[in-house]
Amino acid sequence: MPEAPAPGTELVVRSTRVVTPAGIRPASVMVSVSRGVITDVVGHDAPVPAGARLEDLGDLALLPGLVDTHVHVNDPGREHWEGFWTATRAAAAGGVTTLIDMPLNSLPPTTTPRHLEIKREAARGRVHVDVGFWGGAVPANAGGLRPLHEAGVFGFKAFLSPSGVEEFPELDLGELARAMDEIAAFDGLLVVHAEDPHRLAEAPPCGGPRYADFLASRPRGSEDSAVAQVLALARESGVRVHILHLSSAGALPLVAAARAAGTRVTAETCPHYLTLTAEEVPDGAAEFKCCPPIREAANQDLLWRGLADGTVDCVVTDHSPSTADLKTADFATAWGGISGLQLSLSAVWTEARRRGHGLDDVVRWMSARTAALAGLERKGTLAAGRDADLVAFDPDASFTVDPAGLQHRNPITAYAGRTLRGVVRSTWLRGRRIHRDGSFTGPRGHLLDR
């Protein structure tokens, strides 16, 4: 007997390669556009309900929209670095349908409920994808974290070393412990940039265009030490903690051991750590500068092993753009941040495929687990009742990255000239198409609360 069509279905998206929680298979995804949800995922040849529109993708893969929980939009205040309009267009073009904006690099930073409302006002009506917000944990606001939590932020970001902007200072270990205790009291989430400032101070100073000098100034030991300190304090407080942009494979055993001992810890890494290596960074090429840095190929192999065995939970961009004048040839003074929001899926898929991973792995790392991290229960997978955030992806096509063709406000990227595999053909947000082959509809994104 043919499967009965789900009631309320107005759109059917069909593909021979649908990435479902049960694996990749031919299927039809039934969508209620009026409600913005998936009504069912059924067999490939299931009947199309009367009045519903069929979108047959053929052999294009159908993925759930990616959830990027680590994006610096920089708006308001530094919107000339990026901005909600350009960042969310880049996201849509890259298959990202939900992003969580970091609390720093905007002016003001998102460290109070009032600052959060200023951020929302800057974003309202200008987002092409769904957008949520992290709060910030800084020395002056430990007592104000609960009101910020109640105002709807998804968690709190803290630095252990200087952030790079004066208005978002780092926490010392005593301040970090106090923030952990406060956040644990309301069962919130703390996400941490973990580099030990004392180990950084002991490292050789960086100056000039040599990437090797910059890399030596941000040693793996600074990450490993900071991660150990964070994990020790998290074990004492019971707080849920997440290690941001892990680049040192030396911290992987620390995370695994802490988790096995009952510490509530997760960890992420980034496309640039998984696809770029220190050996290939040209001297003076500050588009490759980020903190912590891109490390050697042998370290990258270990990061992939940690991702495969589950020690590393997810992959996010840490998209941190700037204007070209801030990317000077001197690694000591250049802005540290990789611009890669639009390219993240293709970059990760290119290397994942080479290493024998499937699209279902990439979706797990970049959608299902990131949605779980942020508590976005309606995002991250193709299943009945979830938001109909869909991506038509050609995993076999390839392209050469031209920075001028990206939607980012400033055409600067470490991926320039690289050939990547996998092209996003269409993106839907809650059942409505927002992007097709470089063309966009108007902004349809929602501002999300935790």
Side-chain angles (χ1 to χ4, degrees):
M1 294 287 292
E3 296 172 83
T9 297
E10 300 143 7
L11 171 68
V12 177
V13 185
R14 176 179 290 168
S15 167
T16 62
R17 293 188 281 185
V18 178
V19 182
T20 75
I24 301 172
R25 62 183 178 91
S28 290
V29 176
M30 305 286 189
V31 175
S32 169
V33 178
S34 58
R35 294 190 291 128
V37 300
I38 297 170
T39 57
D40 210 348
V41 180
V42 297
H44 181 271
D45 297 323
V48 177
R53 180 171 57 85
L54 173 64
E55 184 92 27
D56 194 332
L57 303 180
D59 291 333
L60 292 180
L62 182 62
L63 323 179
L66 302 189
V67 178
D68 191 341
T69 54
H70 195 150
V71 178
H72 295 269
V73 178
N74 308 333
D75 195 356
R78 292 190 176 100
E79 60 271 18
H80 55 294
W81 292 12
E82 188 61 275
F84 285 108
W85 184 270
T86 51
T88 57
R89 278 171 65 102
V96 175
T97 53
T98 304
L99 64 85
I100 313 293
D101 176 54
M102 280 292 166
L104 72 156
N105 300 347
S106 58
L107 295 169
T110 315
T111 52
T112 70
R114 174 58 185 151
H115 290 178
L116 174 62
E117 185 52 37
I118 292 171
K119 174 82 76 167
R120 291 185 194 277
E121 284 300 318
R124 194 163 284 122
R126 300 175 57 221
V127 294
H128 293 79
V129 302
D130 288 351
V131 174
F133 305 97
W134 295 107
V138 295
N141 78 336
L145 296 178
R146 185 184 291 268
L148 197 48
H149 173 78
E150 292 171 350
V153 298
F154 283 79
F156 301 90
K157 181 174 187 176
F159 280 77
L160 298 189
S161 56
S163 71
V165 290
E166 293 182 0
E167 66 276 2
F168 201 98
E170 71 274 21
L171 302 179
D172 63 29
L173 291 180
E175 292 163 337
L176 180 67
R178 286 192 291 276
M180 283 185 170
D181 288 342
E182 178 67 16
I183 295 167
F186 53 78
D187 198 27
L189 171 63
L190 178 67
V191 304
V192 184
H193 180 128
E195 288 182 285
D196 184 337
H198 304 292
R199 297 293 291 271
L200 293 178
E202 295 167 354
C206 169
R210 293 187 69 243
Y211 187 75
D213 293 342
F214 171 65
L215 186 60
S217 76
R218 317 289 297 210
R220 285 174 50 174
S222 67
E223 275 194 88
D224 302 343
S225 172
V227 168
Q229 292 167 347
V230 169
L231 294 174
L233 291 174
R235 181 173 61 251
E236 294 175 9
S237 68
V239 75
R240 182 180 166 215
V241 69
H242 179 72
I243 305 300
L244 296 168
H245 46 47
L246 186 66
S247 81
S248 171
L252 294 173
L254 304 177
V255 173
R259 187 178 292 156
T263 302
R264 296 195 296 166
V265 58
T266 50
E268 68 185 34
T269 193
C270 302
H272 39 278
Y273 301 135
L274 297 172
T275 63
L276 307 174
T277 61
E279 291 89 341
E280 64 186 318
V281 178
D283 289 343
E287 62 269 26
F288 290 86
K289 179 183 176 180
C290 57
C291 299
I294 295 165
R295 302 192 187 277
E296 302 85 351
N299 180 81
Q300 182 183 91
D301 290 340
L302 294 174
L303 287 179
W304 274 101
R305 187 179 302 173
L307 191 59
D309 69 21
T311 304
V312 178
D313 298 87
C314 53
V315 180
V316 297
T317 61
D318 189 14
H319 177 71
S320 185
S322 72
T323 53
D325 60 296
L326 296 179
K327 285 292 192 180
T328 67
D330 184 344
F331 277 101
T333 59
W335 175 256
I338 300 287
S339 182
L341 179 58
Q342 184 172 335
L343 300 170
S344 60
L345 173 56
S346 299
V348 173
W349 169 238
T350 299
E351 187 66 12
R353 176 174 174 151
R354 189 181 74 80
R355 291 174 180 265
H357 296 288
L359 273 177
D360 49 346
D361 295 319
V362 173
V363 165
R364 183 171 65 255
W365 300 328
M366 303 183 76
S367 190
R369 286 184 178 168
T370 46
L373 172 71
L376 291 165
E377 297 179 352
R378 296 176 63 89
K379 307 290 187 181
T381 192
L382 300 181
R386 301 295 185 106
D387 285 351
D389 300 343
L390 314 173
V391 177
F393 184 66
D394 187 343
D396 304 312
S398 61
F399 67 102
T400 300
V401 176
D402 176 5
L406 301 177
Q407 297 297 321
H408 307 152
R409 176 155 291 170
N410 293 286
I412 308 162
T413 177
Y415 298 99
R418 295 178 73 91
T419 297
L420 300 180
R421 188 176 289 273
V423 175
V424 173
R425 298 299 187 191
S426 282
T427 311
W428 291 262
L429 182 66
R430 287 184 300 279
R432 298 184 185 275
R433 196 192 308 269
I434 57 172
H435 162 261
R436 174 190 274 171
D437 291 329
S439 297
F440 302 85
T441 63
R444 297 185 184 275
H446 291 178
L447 302 185
L448 304 177
D449 290 325
R450 174 187 41 79

